[in-house]
Amino acid sequence: MNIKNHYHDVIIIGAGLAGTRAAIEVASIADVAVITKVFPTRSHSTTAQGGVAASLNNNKAKGEDSWELHMFDTVKGSDYLGDQNAIEYMCKEAPPTVIELEHMGVPFSRMPDGKIAQRDFGGHSRPRIAYAADRTGHVMLHTLYEQSIKENVHYYSEFVVTQLIIDNNVCKGVVAYDLRKRNVHVFSAKSVLIATGGGGRIYKVTSNAHESTGDGFGLIYKSGLPLQDMEFPQFHPTGLYPLGILITEGVRGEGGFLLNGKGERFMEKYAPEFKDLAPRDLTSRAIYTEIMEGRGVGPKKDHVLLQIHHIGKKAILEKLPEIYQFTITYAGVDCTKEPIPVMPTMHYYMGGIPTNYEDGLVIADDKGNTVKGLYAAGEAACESVHGGNRLGANSLVDTVVFGRKAGKHMYKYIQQVDKPELKGDEGKQTVEMITNLTNSTGQELVSKLRENLQDIMWQKCSVFRDEKTLKEGLSALKELQKRYENVRLIDKASTFNMEMKEAIELGNMLEYAEATLASAIYRKESRGAHSRVDYPKRDDQNFLKHTLVFRVQGATPRIATRDVSITRYKPQERRY
Ligand SMILES: Cc1cc2nc3c(=O)[nH]c(=O)nc-3n(C[C@H](O)[C@H](O)[C@H](O)COP(=O)(O)OP(=O)(O)OC[C@H]3O[C@@H](n4cnc5c(N)ncnc54)[C@H](O)[C@@H]3O)c2cc1C
């Protein structure tokens, strides 16, 4: 198999909003290449619907807005696990960042006076979500992609990064597999940014794209570096039943509400003030509780309804056109006439690669040391601005604020260091992996193992969990990891072999699923999206800290902790 060598000053893994925004920031002085599994504008960011949070203060329906209010809502939403220094930075930067996006060409929806329109979202005390109908991610990503082309950013599409090259705590590049030509490529670089997005695909029901297989988590974990707060996958309350396709919180932001099988607006009981605009952790638990107590909808009483038709067809077609289409196409439901069947769906990883918010550098240990030249941003990273529970619309702002921040630091860093020297054997491991997968006569199928993994995570590490189910999940996962060593490919195609790609992805998925289960076992309390039935209360005394999980070959992962930054707001009970 051919190995091809390249050099670029900066390598960015991932062409979503975080990667593209970083690329634009550094491209004026550097040779920047972005490596992506899919064509850039097909990255998962393009599916983001509801909007981007920023206290622009354009919609004063609930009073004046400010970055301080945005910060408080985010800290409270995070169940006080979010790092307040990072959250303060993000909330201050959000308004100028949205204006900057507008100046780059993002066509935001407008208020009658011409200002950027802003809508309500769960857990936000003000209507501060800037949006472009329900296609916000799509228009943002297309605009940033155009800007990156203007800046001569080079793209390697349909390449899968398989390995980070880290030598003596310095990142010197990456190894990737070209799906089209079946070559292995070694890229050396002065700095590398991981912007590989989230990992919802380890769950059976998810709103995430097929590409969201947590490759960045896998790359880091397999390199012996830690992952942070992995016990916090977020379950979005309103996935389209039974597929899990997202029905944006913008529906409830525009006046939609949830109904149980008895036709009751049950959220009034769980969140008397915020009602249907309560944060996601609380709303998902409320839906599950209604279902478990027999008040679900349908023959199996296993979902609830989301009503929006009362706002009228004109408003729906203007503000939620994609949702109108989705519900007709995937559920045969015309949401301008009848309610939408919904259930919680795995949606977002609050945890991820621990990253310094000041510069985007990847953290290597519990003392806060960083890896030189290695950065992370976007959903793959954990700064941590979302803590135990992300507020809707805070991810898009996270991607662009921290993507730009990492770009700024790389801009300085690459001017201070020399081109890295490689040993010359960096591609060997990937060549061996590809050759072994190609020639394997093992009995296990990628699709079957992936399905088993998705079942395990859905059943054992879902909205509610306890010690027994989590431990069952971890031992079942260990079995799958063994079976993966015996995997064979049915697809023998020499080009665009998608089963090969899925086999590589599965290797990553089996790793960060372990990190997720081990961290969830460790955290013996309920906080944010981590609801332990056996420890139903938040325990600030023992668990107001971040979890760091390290892979240990052939043994149980090692857990360490990091302090949470608490600057302005002391932890208090969350009431909505
Ligand atoms: C349906 C849906 C709607 C959402 N709506 C909103 C919203 O309205 N507001 C909000 O704030 N958030 C929303 N979110 C969350 C938000 O969209 C994501 O968190 C965010 O877009 C992630 O951006 P990213 O740049 O980190 O990664 P992504 O956009 O996921 O991009 C990841 C990139 O990494 C590449 N990649 C991954 N692995 C590899 C590899 N091994 N080799 C090479 N390339 C690789 C992929 O090809 C891709 O280019 C939504 C999420 C979903 C699922």
Side-chain angles (χ1 to χ4, degrees), residues 14-18 35-38 43-45 48-51 159 161 195-197 207-208 215 246 347-348 378-379 390 393 395-396:
L17 284 168
I35 305 177
T36 162
K37 291 197 286 192
V38 293
S43 297
H44 182 54
S45 291
Q49 300 171 353
F159 276 58
V161 172
T196 44
S207 62
N208 282 197
D215 296 9
L246 189 76
H347 185 59
Y348 186 87
E379 193 173 335
R390 172 172 75 88
S395 171
L396 292 191

PDB file of all heavy atoms in Angstrom, residues 14-18 35-38 43-45 48-51 159 161 195-197 207-208 215 246 347-348 378-379 390 393 395-396, ligand 1:
ATOM      1  N   GLY A  14     -11.681  18.087  10.525  1.00  0.00           N
ATOM      2  CA  GLY A  14     -13.100  18.418  10.648  1.00  0.00           C
ATOM      3  C   GLY A  14     -13.452  19.733   9.987  1.00  0.00           C
ATOM      4  O   GLY A  14     -12.822  20.760  10.231  1.00  0.00           O
ATOM      5  N   ALA A  15     -14.474  19.676   9.112  1.00  0.00           N
ATOM      6  CA  ALA A  15     -14.887  20.851   8.331  1.00  0.00           C
ATOM      7  C   ALA A  15     -16.251  21.377   8.767  1.00  0.00           C
ATOM      8  O   ALA A  15     -16.952  22.012   7.995  1.00  0.00           O
ATOM      9  CB  ALA A  15     -14.918  20.490   6.847  1.00  0.00           C
ATOM     10  N   GLY A  16     -16.635  21.084  10.025  1.00  0.00           N
ATOM     11  CA  GLY A  16     -17.865  21.686  10.557  1.00  0.00           C
ATOM     12  C   GLY A  16     -17.608  23.139  10.924  1.00  0.00           C
ATOM     13  O   GLY A  16     -16.599  23.738  10.516  1.00  0.00           O
ATOM     14  N   LEU A  17     -18.501  23.701  11.719  1.00  0.00           N
ATOM     15  CA  LEU A  17     -18.374  25.124  12.045  1.00  0.00           C
ATOM     16  C   LEU A  17     -17.094  25.433  12.821  1.00  0.00           C
ATOM     17  O   LEU A  17     -16.430  26.445  12.558  1.00  0.00           O
ATOM     18  CB  LEU A  17     -19.591  25.584  12.850  1.00  0.00           C
ATOM     19  CG  LEU A  17     -20.859  25.773  12.009  1.00  0.00           C
ATOM     20  CD1 LEU A  17     -22.085  25.927  12.901  1.00  0.00           C
ATOM     21  CD2 LEU A  17     -20.725  26.980  11.081  1.00  0.00           C
ATOM     22  N   ALA A  18     -16.717  24.556  13.766  1.00  0.00           N
ATOM     23  CA  ALA A  18     -15.529  24.833  14.577  1.00  0.00           C
ATOM     24  C   ALA A  18     -14.265  24.806  13.710  1.00  0.00           C
ATOM     25  O   ALA A  18     -13.437  25.729  13.764  1.00  0.00           O
ATOM     26  CB  ALA A  18     -15.428  23.825  15.714  1.00  0.00           C
ATOM     27  N   ILE A  35      -8.936  18.314   6.897  1.00  0.00           N
ATOM     28  CA  ILE A  35      -9.203  16.925   6.498  1.00  0.00           C
ATOM     29  C   ILE A  35     -10.604  16.564   6.986  1.00  0.00           C
ATOM     30  O   ILE A  35     -10.942  16.817   8.139  1.00  0.00           O
ATOM     31  CB  ILE A  35      -8.166  15.966   7.131  1.00  0.00           C
ATOM     32  CG1 ILE A  35      -6.744  16.427   6.771  1.00  0.00           C
ATOM     33  CG2 ILE A  35      -8.405  14.532   6.676  1.00  0.00           C
ATOM     34  CD1 ILE A  35      -5.648  15.579   7.400  1.00  0.00           C
ATOM     35  N   THR A  36     -11.420  16.000   6.119  1.00  0.00           N
ATOM     36  CA  THR A  36     -12.803  15.706   6.501  1.00  0.00           C
ATOM     37  C   THR A  36     -13.306  14.408   5.869  1.00  0.00           C
ATOM     38  O   THR A  36     -12.974  14.106   4.721  1.00  0.00           O
ATOM     39  CB  THR A  36     -13.747  16.893   6.146  1.00  0.00           C
ATOM     40  OG1 THR A  36     -15.105  16.432   6.146  1.00  0.00           O
ATOM     41  CG2 THR A  36     -13.454  17.496   4.782  1.00  0.00           C
ATOM     42  N   LYS A  37     -14.128  13.695   6.640  1.00  0.00           N
ATOM     43  CA  LYS A  37     -14.673  12.427   6.140  1.00  0.00           C
ATOM     44  C   LYS A  37     -15.692  12.644   5.034  1.00  0.00           C
ATOM     45  O   LYS A  37     -15.940  11.763   4.234  1.00  0.00           O
ATOM     46  CB  LYS A  37     -15.386  11.690   7.289  1.00  0.00           C
ATOM     47  CG  LYS A  37     -14.478  11.157   8.366  1.00  0.00           C
ATOM     48  CD  LYS A  37     -15.174  10.109   9.225  1.00  0.00           C
ATOM     49  CE  LYS A  37     -16.173  10.698  10.186  1.00  0.00           C
ATOM     50  NZ  LYS A  37     -16.637   9.718  11.195  1.00  0.00           N
ATOM     51  N   VAL A  38     -16.349  13.810   5.059  1.00  0.00           N
ATOM     52  CA  VAL A  38     -17.390  14.090   4.060  1.00  0.00           C
ATOM     53  C   VAL A  38     -17.077  15.422   3.377  1.00  0.00           C
ATOM     54  O   VAL A  38     -16.227  16.178   3.859  1.00  0.00           O
ATOM     55  CB  VAL A  38     -18.788  14.197   4.715  1.00  0.00           C
ATOM     56  CG1 VAL A  38     -19.233  12.863   5.272  1.00  0.00           C
ATOM     57  CG2 VAL A  38     -18.808  15.263   5.795  1.00  0.00           C
ATOM     58  N   SER A  43     -20.891  18.447   6.497  1.00  0.00           N
ATOM     59  CA  SER A  43     -20.566  18.186   7.904  1.00  0.00           C
ATOM     60  C   SER A  43     -21.823  18.360   8.738  1.00  0.00           C
ATOM     61  O   SER A  43     -22.740  19.096   8.376  1.00  0.00           O
ATOM     62  CB  SER A  43     -19.490  19.159   8.388  1.00  0.00           C
ATOM     63  OG  SER A  43     -18.313  18.948   7.658  1.00  0.00           O
ATOM     64  N   HIS A  44     -21.804  17.730   9.901  1.00  0.00           N
ATOM     65  CA  HIS A  44     -23.008  17.667  10.713  1.00  0.00           C
ATOM     66  C   HIS A  44     -23.567  19.045  11.090  1.00  0.00           C
ATOM     67  O   HIS A  44     -24.789  19.211  11.238  1.00  0.00           O
ATOM     68  CB  HIS A  44     -22.696  16.851  11.961  1.00  0.00           C
ATOM     69  CG  HIS A  44     -23.871  16.673  12.833  1.00  0.00           C
ATOM     70  ND1 HIS A  44     -25.051  16.148  12.364  1.00  0.00           N
ATOM     71  CD2 HIS A  44     -24.072  16.978  14.122  1.00  0.00           C
ATOM     72  CE1 HIS A  44     -25.923  16.124  13.347  1.00  0.00           C
ATOM     73  NE2 HIS A  44     -25.361  16.631  14.416  1.00  0.00           N
ATOM     74  N   SER A  45     -22.699  20.043  11.226  1.00  0.00           N
ATOM     75  CA  SER A  45     -23.165  21.399  11.589  1.00  0.00           C
ATOM     76  C   SER A  45     -24.280  21.888  10.670  1.00  0.00           C
ATOM     77  O   SER A  45     -25.106  22.709  11.071  1.00  0.00           O
ATOM     78  CB  SER A  45     -22.010  22.406  11.496  1.00  0.00           C
ATOM     79  OG  SER A  45     -21.060  22.193  12.495  1.00  0.00           O
ATOM     80  N   ALA A  48     -27.917  21.862  11.931  1.00  0.00           N
ATOM     81  CA  ALA A  48     -28.378  22.632  13.099  1.00  0.00           C
ATOM     82  C   ALA A  48     -29.562  23.496  12.694  1.00  0.00           C
ATOM     83  O   ALA A  48     -29.528  24.196  11.688  1.00  0.00           O
ATOM     84  CB  ALA A  48     -27.251  23.471  13.672  1.00  0.00           C
ATOM     85  N   GLN A  49     -30.587  23.434  13.503  1.00  0.00           N
ATOM     86  CA  GLN A  49     -31.861  24.020  13.087  1.00  0.00           C
ATOM     87  C   GLN A  49     -32.146  25.353  13.773  1.00  0.00           C
ATOM     88  O   GLN A  49     -32.232  26.412  13.155  1.00  0.00           O
ATOM     89  CB  GLN A  49     -32.987  23.028  13.409  1.00  0.00           C
ATOM     90  CG  GLN A  49     -32.856  21.689  12.715  1.00  0.00           C
ATOM     91  CD  GLN A  49     -33.859  20.647  13.225  1.00  0.00           C
ATOM     92  OE1 GLN A  49     -34.581  20.868  14.193  1.00  0.00           O
ATOM     93  NE2 GLN A  49     -33.917  19.514  12.554  1.00  0.00           N
ATOM     94  N   GLY A  50     -32.306  25.288  15.114  1.00  0.00           N
ATOM     95  CA  GLY A  50     -32.977  26.363  15.847  1.00  0.00           C
ATOM     96  C   GLY A  50     -32.283  27.690  15.935  1.00  0.00           C
ATOM     97  O   GLY A  50     -32.929  28.744  15.856  1.00  0.00           O
ATOM     98  N   GLY A  51     -30.946  27.724  16.116  1.00  0.00           N
ATOM     99  CA  GLY A  51     -30.295  29.024  16.173  1.00  0.00           C
ATOM    100  C   GLY A  51     -29.065  29.077  17.048  1.00  0.00           C
ATOM    101  O   GLY A  51     -28.594  28.066  17.551  1.00  0.00           O
ATOM    102  N   PHE A 159     -11.346  11.758   3.476  1.00  0.00           N
ATOM    103  CA  PHE A 159     -10.165  11.211   4.154  1.00  0.00           C
ATOM    104  C   PHE A 159     -10.571  10.948   5.607  1.00  0.00           C
ATOM    105  O   PHE A 159     -11.221  11.795   6.215  1.00  0.00           O
ATOM    106  CB  PHE A 159      -9.016  12.229   4.172  1.00  0.00           C
ATOM    107  CG  PHE A 159      -8.177  12.261   2.924  1.00  0.00           C
ATOM    108  CD1 PHE A 159      -8.737  12.524   1.682  1.00  0.00           C
ATOM    109  CD2 PHE A 159      -6.805  12.060   3.004  1.00  0.00           C
ATOM    110  CE1 PHE A 159      -7.958  12.570   0.538  1.00  0.00           C
ATOM    111  CE2 PHE A 159      -6.010  12.102   1.867  1.00  0.00           C
ATOM    112  CZ  PHE A 159      -6.583  12.356   0.629  1.00  0.00           C
ATOM    113  N   VAL A 161      -9.080  10.441   9.314  1.00  0.00           N
ATOM    114  CA  VAL A 161      -7.885  10.485  10.170  1.00  0.00           C
ATOM    115  C   VAL A 161      -7.920   9.280  11.110  1.00  0.00           C
ATOM    116  O   VAL A 161      -8.922   9.010  11.763  1.00  0.00           O
ATOM    117  CB  VAL A 161      -7.801  11.806  10.961  1.00  0.00           C
ATOM    118  CG1 VAL A 161      -6.676  11.755  11.991  1.00  0.00           C
ATOM    119  CG2 VAL A 161      -7.583  12.970  10.004  1.00  0.00           C
ATOM    120  N   ALA A 195     -11.459  18.951  15.410  1.00  0.00           N
ATOM    121  CA  ALA A 195     -12.807  19.551  15.379  1.00  0.00           C
ATOM    122  C   ALA A 195     -13.748  18.520  14.748  1.00  0.00           C
ATOM    123  O   ALA A 195     -14.433  18.795  13.762  1.00  0.00           O
ATOM    124  CB  ALA A 195     -12.791  20.851  14.590  1.00  0.00           C
ATOM    125  N   THR A 196     -13.734  17.333  15.345  1.00  0.00           N
ATOM    126  CA  THR A 196     -14.411  16.180  14.740  1.00  0.00           C
ATOM    127  C   THR A 196     -15.863  16.011  15.178  1.00  0.00           C
ATOM    128  O   THR A 196     -16.495  15.004  14.841  1.00  0.00           O
ATOM    129  CB  THR A 196     -13.625  14.893  15.094  1.00  0.00           C
ATOM    130  OG1 THR A 196     -13.284  14.958  16.484  1.00  0.00           O
ATOM    131  CG2 THR A 196     -12.356  14.761  14.281  1.00  0.00           C
ATOM    132  N   GLY A 197     -16.393  16.971  15.959  1.00  0.00           N
ATOM    133  CA  GLY A 197     -17.805  16.909  16.326  1.00  0.00           C
ATOM    134  C   GLY A 197     -18.095  15.858  17.395  1.00  0.00           C
ATOM    135  O   GLY A 197     -17.189  15.383  18.091  1.00  0.00           O
ATOM    136  N   SER A 207     -30.239  11.969  17.190  1.00  0.00           N
ATOM    137  CA  SER A 207     -30.480  12.997  16.180  1.00  0.00           C
ATOM    138  C   SER A 207     -29.236  13.201  15.314  1.00  0.00           C
ATOM    139  O   SER A 207     -29.249  13.996  14.377  1.00  0.00           O
ATOM    140  CB  SER A 207     -30.799  14.323  16.886  1.00  0.00           C
ATOM    141  OG  SER A 207     -29.675  14.704  17.666  1.00  0.00           O
ATOM    142  N   ASN A 208     -28.156  12.517  15.647  1.00  0.00           N
ATOM    143  CA  ASN A 208     -26.859  12.815  15.012  1.00  0.00           C
ATOM    144  C   ASN A 208     -26.694  12.173  13.628  1.00  0.00           C
ATOM    145  O   ASN A 208     -27.247  11.102  13.356  1.00  0.00           O
ATOM    146  CB  ASN A 208     -25.723  12.302  15.895  1.00  0.00           C
ATOM    147  CG  ASN A 208     -25.425  13.197  17.083  1.00  0.00           C
ATOM    148  OD1 ASN A 208     -24.376  13.084  17.686  1.00  0.00           O
ATOM    149  ND2 ASN A 208     -26.336  14.097  17.422  1.00  0.00           N
ATOM    150  N   ASP A 215     -14.837  10.238  16.464  1.00  0.00           N
ATOM    151  CA  ASP A 215     -13.470   9.832  16.109  1.00  0.00           C
ATOM    152  C   ASP A 215     -12.420  10.608  16.912  1.00  0.00           C
ATOM    153  O   ASP A 215     -11.387  10.054  17.301  1.00  0.00           O
ATOM    154  CB  ASP A 215     -13.205  10.055  14.608  1.00  0.00           C
ATOM    155  CG  ASP A 215     -14.091   9.190  13.738  1.00  0.00           C
ATOM    156  OD1 ASP A 215     -15.014   8.546  14.279  1.00  0.00           O
ATOM    157  OD2 ASP A 215     -13.875   9.157  12.513  1.00  0.00           O
ATOM    158  N   LEU A 246     -34.235  15.139  14.869  1.00  0.00           N
ATOM    159  CA  LEU A 246     -34.495  16.267  15.767  1.00  0.00           C
ATOM    160  C   LEU A 246     -35.697  17.113  15.343  1.00  0.00           C
ATOM    161  O   LEU A 246     -35.831  17.486  14.181  1.00  0.00           O
ATOM    162  CB  LEU A 246     -33.272  17.180  15.837  1.00  0.00           C
ATOM    163  CG  LEU A 246     -33.432  18.239  16.928  1.00  0.00           C
ATOM    164  CD1 LEU A 246     -33.208  17.635  18.294  1.00  0.00           C
ATOM    165  CD2 LEU A 246     -32.520  19.408  16.701  1.00  0.00           C
ATOM    166  N   HIS A 347     -28.423  13.373  21.654  1.00  0.00           N
ATOM    167  CA  HIS A 347     -28.266  14.556  20.821  1.00  0.00           C
ATOM    168  C   HIS A 347     -26.871  15.177  20.835  1.00  0.00           C
ATOM    169  O   HIS A 347     -26.410  15.687  19.819  1.00  0.00           O
ATOM    170  CB  HIS A 347     -29.272  15.594  21.322  1.00  0.00           C
ATOM    171  CG  HIS A 347     -29.343  16.847  20.523  1.00  0.00           C
ATOM    172  ND1 HIS A 347     -29.659  16.868  19.186  1.00  0.00           N
ATOM    173  CD2 HIS A 347     -29.134  18.139  20.870  1.00  0.00           C
ATOM    174  CE1 HIS A 347     -29.647  18.118  18.742  1.00  0.00           C
ATOM    175  NE2 HIS A 347     -29.320  18.896  19.737  1.00  0.00           N
ATOM    176  N   TYR A 348     -26.187  15.147  21.964  1.00  0.00           N
ATOM    177  CA  TYR A 348     -24.985  15.991  22.084  1.00  0.00           C
ATOM    178  C   TYR A 348     -24.080  15.444  23.179  1.00  0.00           C
ATOM    179  O   TYR A 348     -24.564  14.907  24.173  1.00  0.00           O
ATOM    180  CB  TYR A 348     -25.424  17.415  22.469  1.00  0.00           C
ATOM    181  CG  TYR A 348     -24.306  18.421  22.496  1.00  0.00           C
ATOM    182  CD1 TYR A 348     -23.922  19.100  21.347  1.00  0.00           C
ATOM    183  CD2 TYR A 348     -23.624  18.692  23.684  1.00  0.00           C
ATOM    184  CE1 TYR A 348     -22.881  20.013  21.378  1.00  0.00           C
ATOM    185  CE2 TYR A 348     -22.590  19.601  23.718  1.00  0.00           C
ATOM    186  CZ  TYR A 348     -22.220  20.256  22.563  1.00  0.00           C
ATOM    187  OH  TYR A 348     -21.192  21.168  22.589  1.00  0.00           O
ATOM    188  N   GLY A 378     -15.151  23.020  19.257  1.00  0.00           N
ATOM    189  CA  GLY A 378     -16.460  22.509  18.834  1.00  0.00           C
ATOM    190  C   GLY A 378     -16.934  21.396  19.752  1.00  0.00           C
ATOM    191  O   GLY A 378     -16.488  21.272  20.893  1.00  0.00           O
ATOM    192  N   GLU A 379     -17.841  20.583  19.226  1.00  0.00           N
ATOM    193  CA  GLU A 379     -18.456  19.556  20.082  1.00  0.00           C
ATOM    194  C   GLU A 379     -17.435  18.529  20.565  1.00  0.00           C
ATOM    195  O   GLU A 379     -17.615  17.914  21.614  1.00  0.00           O
ATOM    196  CB  GLU A 379     -19.615  18.867  19.339  1.00  0.00           C
ATOM    197  CG  GLU A 379     -20.450  18.036  20.281  1.00  0.00           C
ATOM    198  CD  GLU A 379     -21.710  17.459  19.641  1.00  0.00           C
ATOM    199  OE1 GLU A 379     -22.207  18.032  18.645  1.00  0.00           O
ATOM    200  OE2 GLU A 379     -22.189  16.426  20.152  1.00  0.00           O
ATOM    201  N   ARG A 390     -26.193  21.129  28.432  1.00  0.00           N
ATOM    202  CA  ARG A 390     -26.066  22.279  27.515  1.00  0.00           C
ATOM    203  C   ARG A 390     -27.421  22.924  27.293  1.00  0.00           C
ATOM    204  O   ARG A 390     -28.418  22.228  27.091  1.00  0.00           O
ATOM    205  CB  ARG A 390     -25.500  21.814  26.174  1.00  0.00           C
ATOM    206  CG  ARG A 390     -25.512  22.887  25.112  1.00  0.00           C
ATOM    207  CD  ARG A 390     -24.786  22.468  23.870  1.00  0.00           C
ATOM    208  NE  ARG A 390     -25.507  21.530  23.036  1.00  0.00           N
ATOM    209  CZ  ARG A 390     -26.371  21.858  22.070  1.00  0.00           C
ATOM    210  NH1 ARG A 390     -26.661  23.133  21.819  1.00  0.00           N
ATOM    211  NH2 ARG A 390     -26.959  20.926  21.340  1.00  0.00           N
ATOM    212  N   ALA A 393     -28.857  26.067  21.543  1.00  0.00           N
ATOM    213  CA  ALA A 393     -28.285  27.219  20.823  1.00  0.00           C
ATOM    214  C   ALA A 393     -26.944  27.678  21.377  1.00  0.00           C
ATOM    215  O   ALA A 393     -26.311  28.564  20.818  1.00  0.00           O
ATOM    216  CB  ALA A 393     -29.268  28.394  20.780  1.00  0.00           C
ATOM    217  N   SER A 395     -24.401  25.602  21.478  1.00  0.00           N
ATOM    218  CA  SER A 395     -23.330  24.872  20.807  1.00  0.00           C
ATOM    219  C   SER A 395     -22.823  25.639  19.590  1.00  0.00           C
ATOM    220  O   SER A 395     -21.621  25.724  19.352  1.00  0.00           O
ATOM    221  CB  SER A 395     -23.798  23.493  20.361  1.00  0.00           C
ATOM    222  OG  SER A 395     -22.807  22.920  19.559  1.00  0.00           O
ATOM    223  N   LEU A 396     -23.739  26.204  18.818  1.00  0.00           N
ATOM    224  CA  LEU A 396     -23.277  26.936  17.625  1.00  0.00           C
ATOM    225  C   LEU A 396     -22.374  28.083  18.044  1.00  0.00           C
ATOM    226  O   LEU A 396     -21.347  28.361  17.414  1.00  0.00           O
ATOM    227  CB  LEU A 396     -24.468  27.441  16.802  1.00  0.00           C
ATOM    228  CG  LEU A 396     -25.310  26.358  16.108  1.00  0.00           C
ATOM    229  CD1 LEU A 396     -26.286  26.993  15.120  1.00  0.00           C
ATOM    230  CD2 LEU A 396     -24.461  25.332  15.393  1.00  0.00           C
TER     231      LEU A 396
HETATM  232  C1  LIG B   1     -30.086  17.841  14.317  1.00  0.00           C
HETATM  233  C2  LIG B   1     -29.280  18.778  15.142  1.00  0.00           C
HETATM  234  C3  LIG B   1     -29.650  20.103  15.263  1.00  0.00           C
HETATM  235  C4  LIG B   1     -28.893  20.981  16.032  1.00  0.00           C
HETATM  236  N1  LIG B   1     -29.293  22.290  16.150  1.00  0.00           N
HETATM  237  C5  LIG B   1     -28.548  23.135  16.897  1.00  0.00           C
HETATM  238  C6  LIG B   1     -28.929  24.500  17.019  1.00  0.00           C
HETATM  239  O1  LIG B   1     -29.914  24.958  16.464  1.00  0.00           O
HETATM  240  N2  LIG B   1     -28.154  25.312  17.785  1.00  0.00           N
HETATM  241  C7  LIG B   1     -27.040  24.866  18.427  1.00  0.00           C
HETATM  242  O2  LIG B   1     -26.372  25.644  19.097  1.00  0.00           O
HETATM  243  N3  LIG B   1     -26.641  23.579  18.287  1.00  0.00           N
HETATM  244  C8  LIG B   1     -27.364  22.716  17.550  1.00  0.00           C
HETATM  245  N4  LIG B   1     -26.961  21.406  17.431  1.00  0.00           N
HETATM  246  C9  LIG B   1     -25.612  21.027  17.893  1.00  0.00           C
HETATM  247  C10 LIG B   1     -24.583  21.549  16.883  1.00  0.00           C
HETATM  248  O3  LIG B   1     -25.116  21.527  15.595  1.00  0.00           O
HETATM  249  C11 LIG B   1     -23.278  20.744  16.880  1.00  0.00           C
HETATM  250  O4  LIG B   1     -22.843  20.552  18.188  1.00  0.00           O
HETATM  251  C12 LIG B   1     -22.195  21.488  16.105  1.00  0.00           C
HETATM  252  O5  LIG B   1     -22.653  21.853  14.830  1.00  0.00           O
HETATM  253  C13 LIG B   1     -20.926  20.656  15.991  1.00  0.00           C
HETATM  254  O6  LIG B   1     -20.039  21.340  15.148  1.00  0.00           O
HETATM  255  P1  LIG B   1     -18.526  20.870  15.011  1.00  0.00           P
HETATM  256  O7  LIG B   1     -17.855  21.834  14.116  1.00  0.00           O
HETATM  257  O8  LIG B   1     -17.957  20.667  16.358  1.00  0.00           O
HETATM  258  O9  LIG B   1     -18.600  19.417  14.344  1.00  0.00           O
HETATM  259  P2  LIG B   1     -19.364  18.843  13.062  1.00  0.00           P
HETATM  260  O10 LIG B   1     -20.177  19.852  12.365  1.00  0.00           O
HETATM  261  O11 LIG B   1     -20.020  17.604  13.540  1.00  0.00           O
HETATM  262  O12 LIG B   1     -18.188  18.474  12.083  1.00  0.00           O
HETATM  263  C14 LIG B   1     -17.326  17.391  12.328  1.00  0.00           C
HETATM  264  C15 LIG B   1     -16.348  17.307  11.189  1.00  0.00           C
HETATM  265  O13 LIG B   1     -15.335  16.375  11.528  1.00  0.00           O
HETATM  266  C16 LIG B   1     -15.098  15.523  10.430  1.00  0.00           C
HETATM  267  N5  LIG B   1     -14.533  14.283  10.965  1.00  0.00           N
HETATM  268  C17 LIG B   1     -14.974  13.556  12.014  1.00  0.00           C
HETATM  269  N6  LIG B   1     -14.170  12.510  12.220  1.00  0.00           N
HETATM  270  C18 LIG B   1     -13.192  12.576  11.277  1.00  0.00           C
HETATM  271  C19 LIG B   1     -12.070  11.777  10.948  1.00  0.00           C
HETATM  272  N7  LIG B   1     -11.748  10.672  11.630  1.00  0.00           N
HETATM  273  N8  LIG B   1     -11.307  12.133   9.906  1.00  0.00           N
HETATM  274  C20 LIG B   1     -11.603  13.231   9.167  1.00  0.00           C
HETATM  275  N9  LIG B   1     -12.644  14.031   9.442  1.00  0.00           N
HETATM  276  C21 LIG B   1     -13.425  13.702  10.481  1.00  0.00           C
HETATM  277  C22 LIG B   1     -16.441  15.397   9.758  1.00  0.00           C
HETATM  278  O14 LIG B   1     -16.296  14.990   8.416  1.00  0.00           O
HETATM  279  C23 LIG B   1     -16.938  16.834   9.871  1.00  0.00           C
HETATM  280  O15 LIG B   1     -16.390  17.601   8.830  1.00  0.00           O
HETATM  281  C24 LIG B   1     -27.734  20.517  16.686  1.00  0.00           C
HETATM  282  C25 LIG B   1     -27.363  19.175  16.577  1.00  0.00           C
HETATM  283  C26 LIG B   1     -28.150  18.309  15.847  1.00  0.00           C
HETATM  284  C27 LIG B   1     -27.773  16.863  15.817  1.00  0.00           C
END
